[in-house]
Amino acid sequence: MFFNWLFLKHYAKKQRLARPVNRTSGHVHVRGTEPAAPDASGIIGPSAPCPDDSVMTTATLLAQAQAHASTGQHDALLATCQRILDDTHSQDVNALLDVAALLLGSGHVSPAQACLQQAIRLAPQDYRAHVNLANLYREIGEHRASRQLYQQLVHVLPDHPLIRRNALVSLEYDPDASPAVRRTMAQLWGEWAQARVGGRQPRPPAPALNGRPLRVGYVSADFCQHTVGLLVQDVLRAHNPARVSVFAYSAGGVSDWVSRNIAACSQWRDVAALDDAALAAQVRADGIDVLVDLSGHTAGSRLTAFALRPAPVQASWLGYFATTGLSDIDALLLDDWHAPPEVAAQCIEPVWRLPRGKFCYQPAPWAPATVAPPPCLIQGHITFGCFNNTSKLNPAVLALWARLLHAIPHARLLLKWRTLIDAGLRQRVANTFAEHGIDPARVSCRGASFHADLLHEYADIDIALDPFPFTGGLTSCEALWMGVPVLTWPGATPVSRQTWALLAAIGLPELAARDEHDYLRIAQQLASQPEHLNTLRHSLRARMQASPLMDPAGFARQLEDAWLALYGRVAG
């Protein structure tokens, strides 16, 4: 079985779902060793000899490599990928794409890039490699290159849904993409989606409830051990069945403990194999009153089905971080922290403000029961840290963090993400800090680990640094739960205000900076007060537990209020 470009995101998702995850962007964290170095061919580094090469088929080797990736056996993964590319397979475009998908999904961006570039040399008009290369550029923070590639791809393949979706998601990470550009591109997507179904479709009738519960359908590819699944499961469980009948339309095809939890509190529909027309027909057959998109333009999105207008009320909530661009969406659920008036103006959809906030958080069952003391009390120096996606670590972010390390000469910085297992990317990070005059020895990079282990690693940092303009979501929740204060800089887009919304909800707005100078000031002030850090660290869980952020029942009530009010506007 080949894991080609059309399934790259789903493949990576299936890999991460074998392990607990903690990222808003939904990447895996698995334990592994350092990658082998690239050899002279630039494809894959030296591999250990394996027996019975002659009898191993490509499909068998791919299955082996997938198994190694899912269990974090990185040396074995690299060795198996090398075997696939040995001999004639190094000239086989499909094999190169399959191997690149495996490597990229496991964080080995340098050999994955070499595979994709080799595939482009062999078949420059085969756009599969170009798509995956654009995704890879985003993963390593090369947003200009990613944007340029996607612009070319959209021009060549204007009707390809995956390419158009990925191009929009990539803009949210791109620090050079203005709010106006993001809105315009989203609006163009919405117009394209409506044109594909013959124009804007009429709203179906909205019969009066007459005492019956509202039928609410939630649509997502991530009803599983993924950021969205983890955040939504307790809310769906807390819905009052007298007010709302819950339907869950699962577009991901993954079954795990989270999906079973959601299935147990909903009328479950597996729609992964349905096309848009069939999905819309199922929604109509179920008599859904309010249909809620939880994916936006992320992997596995079924947002194009919303252009068919299968429900009287359609809304977007939780799983996306910007306007969808689709005018068939009647409400985008945000809050005052995410969407002040100037930010709400960027949205095609009307913004519906949730008074208790957009997020509801519950810690993973395997989260440590206690909070560790701040490491500065033991080590004698402050350790800043960031466990966010490397896609968010643009040059401006690293430059500001370098200024912070200049201001506090003995401080350290710990970065952690799955792609930092890659030696080439770690060297790029080291070189960047060296160019800013920072000794690379002060910056530690860690690759992937199991989620339970990752949560324990928060004991190694004193203060978490939020990137910008794409800030943390679940990452910030977990840092706070583990007692680590998060310093953020909210900007002019909803995605830049996620951590600010969390901090405001738990009564810590003073950790949000007004500008880069304020960012440095707050960080230095916190770093100079180790005893205050200790007190704050051990108070964060109580703050969170006492806030609306950790009240699933209260959150479910506000959602129900929103759905009923929206339906009431159109019901006759």
Side-chain angles (χ1 to χ4, degrees), residues 186-471:
Q187 185 172 15
L188 289 172
W189 181 90
E191 293 169 354
W192 166 82
Q194 290 174 338
R196 291 176 77 234
V197 298
R200 190 166 185 179
Q201 301 298 300
R203 185 191 306 274
L209 295 178
N210 294 324
R212 69 171 174 84
L214 193 71
R215 299 168 76 86
V216 180
Y218 295 92
V219 185
S220 178
D222 301 317
F223 287 139
C224 53
Q225 195 171 299
H226 171 278
T227 299
V228 170
L230 291 171
L231 289 174
V232 81
Q233 61 173 337
D234 292 292
V235 175
L236 298 188
R237 262 199 300 246
H239 269 315
N240 180 351
R243 303 184 82 197
V244 166
S245 293
V246 177
F247 289 72
Y249 296 92
S250 175
V254 175
S255 178
D256 62 14
W257 67 278
V258 176
S259 60
R260 288 188 288 273
N261 285 346
I262 295 173
C265 65
S266 69
Q267 298 192 53
W268 180 266
R269 302 285 188 263
D270 184 349
V271 298
L274 302 185
D275 63 16
D276 286 348
L279 172 55
Q282 180 66 64
V283 170
R284 294 187 188 103
D286 288 332
I288 295 300
D289 301 308
V290 179
L291 191 65
V292 186
D293 171 60
L294 299 178
S295 295
H297 296 289
T298 61
S301 168
R302 301 307 305 269
L303 192 57
T304 46
F306 284 68
L308 291 165
R309 219 353 147 167
V313 174
Q314 302 187 149
S316 174
W317 169 59
L318 186 62
Y320 196 52
F321 24 77
T323 179
T324 65
L326 186 62
S327 60
D328 295 293
I329 299 296
D330 300 299
L332 172 60
L333 271 61
L334 294 170
D335 52 47
D336 286 339
W337 302 302
H338 279 91
E342 66 275 14
V343 174
Q346 301 167 21
C347 302
I348 301 298
E349 316 89 338
V351 169
W352 186 277
R353 300 177 186 279
L354 296 171
R356 299 169 63 90
K358 173 185 174 180
F359 292 116
C360 184
Y361 171 70
Q362 291 291 297
W366 47 83
T370 58
V371 169
C376 64
L377 298 182
I378 301 169
Q379 298 172 348
H381 64 259
I382 287 290
T383 302
F384 296 102
C386 179
F387 290 3
N388 273 276
N389 189 338
T390 49
S391 297
K392 304 178 183 182
L393 306 187
N394 59 68
V397 169
L398 298 182
L400 186 58
W401 292 352
R403 288 174 60 188
L404 179 56
L405 294 180
H406 272 297
I408 308 176
H410 299 294
R412 302 289 189 271
L413 176 62
L414 170 58
L415 305 177
K416 182 176 177 63
W417 185 250
R418 66 184 177 88
T419 52
L420 292 172
I421 194 172
D422 186 85
L425 184 56
R426 291 199 308 275
Q427 188 59 54
R428 285 184 54 192
V429 171
N431 292 345
T432 297
F433 279 97
E435 290 167 3
H436 288 288
I438 299 299
D439 182 354
R442 297 174 63 192
V443 181
S444 301
C445 294
R446 297 182 187 176
S449 57
F450 292 116
H451 191 206
D453 298 327
L454 178 145
L455 293 174
H456 280 285
E457 289 182 76
Y458 279 106
D460 297 333
I461 63 176
D462 296 289
I463 302 166
L465 301 177
D466 208 22
F468 51 88
F470 200 127
T471 58

Side-chain angles (χ1 to χ4, degrees), residues 129-159:
H130 294 269
V131 171
N132 280 352
L133 188 60
N135 291 338
L136 185 148
Y137 284 144
R138 184 184 69 221
E139 290 281 320
I140 62 176
E142 293 284 348
H143 296 296
R144 178 177 297 179
S146 179
R147 181 174 68 252
Q148 290 173 344
L149 253 183
Y150 268 122
Q151 287 172 346
Q152 296 167 13
L153 288 163
V154 170
H155 178 73
V156 174
L157 298 169
D159 290 320

